[in-house]
Amino acid sequence: MRDPVLAGILSLIVPGVGHLYNGQFLAGALWLMALVTIIPGFWIGTGGILGLLCHVIAGYTAYNYAKEHRVRV
């Protein structure tokens, strides 16, 4: 069983890790690449607003996927 709360928290802290926990390897890899390349610029360039938004979106999408797909295949 996937835990949606754990998936959401993992991706909220480090975008992509919750997706990897869910078995979404492509989405997790893309979020991790964005974490290294794009998101730091969002944190610096907008005073943290867009960086925080990216973390929240990653957490929400990981939570939502785990909630809809409870059983690992």
Side-chain angles (χ1 to χ4, degrees):
M1 296 289 289
R2 293 185 179 113
D3 183 11
V5 175
L6 179 60
I9 290 173
L10 287 172
S11 266
L12 185 65
I13 296 170
V14 179
V17 175
H19 294 85
L20 294 175
Y21 168 76
N22 286 337
Q24 296 178 286
F25 299 111
L26 181 60
L30 291 174
W31 273 109
L32 287 171
M33 282 192 300
L35 176 66
V36 173
T37 58
I38 299 168
I39 296 175
F42 285 165
W43 277 102
I44 295 167
T46 63
I49 294 173
L50 285 180
L52 180 63
L53 183 63
C54 287
H55 281 260
V56 170
I57 290 171
Y60 174 75
T61 56
Y63 169 82
N64 199 28
Y65 183 86
K67 184 177 171 188
E68 292 175 1
H69 302 90
R70 299 286 286 185
V71 179
R72 290 182 189 251
V73 177

